[in-house]
Amino acid sequence: MLPYASLTLLTLAATTTATCPRSTLQSATTALLAAQTAGNLSALPLSANTTYLENDASVTLTSSILTTALPIDLSRSLHDTTLCATFTEIISATAPHPYMIMTRMLLTADGAAISRIENVVADKGDWLFNAQASLSKAQSEVWDVVPEGKRDARDTIRAAGDKYLDSWADGKVSVPYGSPCARLEGGSYTTNCKMPEFPKQFKVLTVRRAKNRRYVIDEEIGAVDIFNDFPFLDANKPNGTSSTNFVRVEGGKIRYIHEVTICTQNNCGR
Ligand SMILES: *[C@@H]1O[C@H](CO)[C@@H](O)[C@H](O)[C@H]1NC(C)=O
Ligand SMILES: *[C@@H]1O[C@H](CO)[C@@H](O)[C@H](O)[C@H]1NC(C)=O
Ligand SMILES: *[C@@H]1O[C@H](CO)[C@@H](O)[C@H](O)[C@H]1NC(C)=O
């Protein structure tokens, strides 16, 4: 058995490594927007060995989308002080080449440096892509800070997002959809958030459940983003294509969903 003092130190270490100051995470997302706007990496507090993935492929940062200067018409960020992670949604609709970019960044324990960036970068031909339509819909939505006392618990927010993803493979999963609820998928907007279950025969082809889920949760905004491998949609990637679902939860119920999904062929061949 460890002496009491060691246990205390272990507890402290676990606490400090698990929590990053919100202000430090905010500096990182501010830097991300500056870097993307300028197409210049120098604004980013990179670590010596930052891992970078673009649509799940390993890419060198110097040839990444981050080196393309883009006007940012809309951005929304989440700051996860528990996971030391950030999420940023970027819509660049007025660029000569429009993009929608969803960025997840992991930071070192003190939040000072970026250790990993996962970017889902969508453009023409990706699932229902329409940056201009997305921009106008996203601008009409309210993703304000939820007042203290009305905030959902971290687990509630995460569970709402997970149930939504689980329901694609299993229509019997009860998803806490709000009323109203709206989903923005690429540039397509619906106020009927319920997703039809994947075809049954898909089960025998491969897995049904969206896997490789990576989370960023922000209790102040009441939102979670789940990066995942979206199965079924793209015939070339039956085990899942790069996708991300940005979900706002209010009073335990889903209010908004933004999905961006990458296709290997025009509109995933559909
Ligand atoms: C990027 O920004 C740094 C700092 O402002 C500057 O020195 C550098 O020249 C810029 N690089 C490019 C390629 O513009
Ligand atoms: C990255 O560098 C840090 C500090 O230099 C080190 O602790 C960490 O293990 C390195 N990570 C990888 C994946 O090499
Ligand atoms: C999909 O996953 C299954 C099970 O892991 C594997 O056998 C199959 O090769 C994968 N298919 C593709 C196209 O990656």
Side-chain angles (χ1 to χ4, degrees), residues 119-157:
N119 240 349
V120 173
V121 181
D123 66 351
K124 194 168 180 295
D126 288 317
W127 181 240
L128 303 173
F129 181 84
N130 185 333
Q132 195 63 56
S134 272
L135 177 63
S136 69
K137 292 302 181 185
Q139 277 172 336
S140 73
E141 297 177 344
V142 180
W143 292 66
D144 286 353
V145 168
V146 179
E148 266 182 271
K150 292 189 119 184
R151 289 183 191 159
D152 286 312
R154 194 175 171 80
D155 290 351
T156 305
I157 298 166

Side-chain angles (χ1 to χ4, degrees), residues 205-207 211 235-240:
L205 297 178
T206 177
V207 286
K211 292 191 298 195
N236 292 335
K237 290 209 152 183
N239 289 346

Side-chain angles (χ1 to χ4, degrees), residues 24-63:
T24 319
L25 297 177
Q26 282 168 330
S27 301
T29 53
T30 301
L32 172 71
L33 296 174
Q36 188 67 79
T37 302
N40 187 332
L41 296 167
S42 70
L44 286 172
L46 300 170
S47 66
N49 53 8
T50 305
T51 303
Y52 181 75
L53 295 178
E54 205 163 280
N55 300 339
D56 285 329
S58 187
V59 169
T60 55
L61 269 162
T62 48
S63 51

Side-chain angles (χ1 to χ4, degrees), residues 219-235:
E219 297 91 330
E220 287 192 17
I221 304 294
V224 56
D225 193 280
I226 310 179
F227 279 58
N228 66 93
D229 296 349
F230 193 120
F232 165 67
L233 192 63
D234 191 322

